[in-house]
Amino acid sequence: LNGPADRDATPTLPATLPSRYAFAFTRENLLGETVAWAVPCICKRARAVPANSSGLLVATNEDPAKLIFLARKGWGARAQTISVDGCVAAREPKFLSENLDISPETGKGASYLFLFERGRGPRVQQIVEFLNNRLRAPAPAPALEVVTPT
């Protein structure tokens, strides 16, 4: 509570999984995708995840519209895939926490809220920029077929 707001500005997001989460990530990650970043947080609001679950929020390099939340459960962890296709991420600084709000652009659908420690504002801002850049990236154009008259 007495710490400065931007105490620990990190240039990059961590990309390693702690051993307690590795097995749950491997079970959920059937395609063998690689970790882009993995950050500890608390899941406040998400489908199929109990409120106030502590764990890791993980993004993969291969699928821009998917996040995986790895929640602690006893001695291990369990994984829940979250689809963020058509969503917008926003940072909400609060008095005791930094919040990551992921909500649909249209206003209809599931929204997600993740809490980070106070002082993690730069990290949450990096996550917001990462998600919004990936979700707004133009889709690859389909190959055009050239038809020659005969």
Side-chain angles (χ1 to χ4, degrees):
L1 200 57
N2 292 328
D6 291 332
R7 180 189 87 212
D8 187 21
T10 56
T12 60
L13 295 169
T16 58
L17 289 175
S19 60
R20 82 179 298 164
Y21 297 107
F23 181 69
F25 178 74
T26 304
R27 276 196 342 212
E28 188 73 13
N29 183 16
L30 299 176
L31 300 176
E33 297 172 345
T34 58
V35 175
W37 48 263
V39 291
C41 64
I42 295 173
C43 183
K44 190 69 175 173
R45 179 179 62 226
R47 282 189 188 166
V49 178
N52 300 323
S53 295
S54 177
L56 280 181
L57 187 61
V58 180
T60 60
N61 288 315
E62 290 77 13
D63 192 354
K66 175 177 80 171
L67 294 175
I68 300 172
F69 183 73
L70 302 171
R72 289 184 189 172
K73 185 173 181 181
W75 291 99
R78 65 183 180 133
Q80 179 64 40
T81 300
I82 299 170
S83 175
V84 293
D85 192 27
C87 293
V88 173
R91 174 184 166 210
E92 296 176 352
K94 298 292 183 182
F95 180 66
L96 294 176
S97 66
E98 293 285 339
N99 298 350
L100 171 65
D101 184 20
I102 302 172
S103 55
E105 285 181 308
T106 60
K108 292 185 178 182
S111 64
Y112 307 96
L113 182 65
F114 299 96
L115 306 178
F116 294 82
E117 296 175 353
R118 180 176 184 266
R120 301 288 185 192
R123 178 176 283 181
V124 175
Q125 189 60 40
Q126 285 178 324
I127 294 170
V128 167
E129 290 169 4
F130 179 88
L131 290 174
N132 287 336
N133 289 340
R134 285 184 68 177
L135 292 173
R136 290 189 181 136
L144 298 175
E145 184 178 322
V146 178
V147 178
T148 56
T150 56

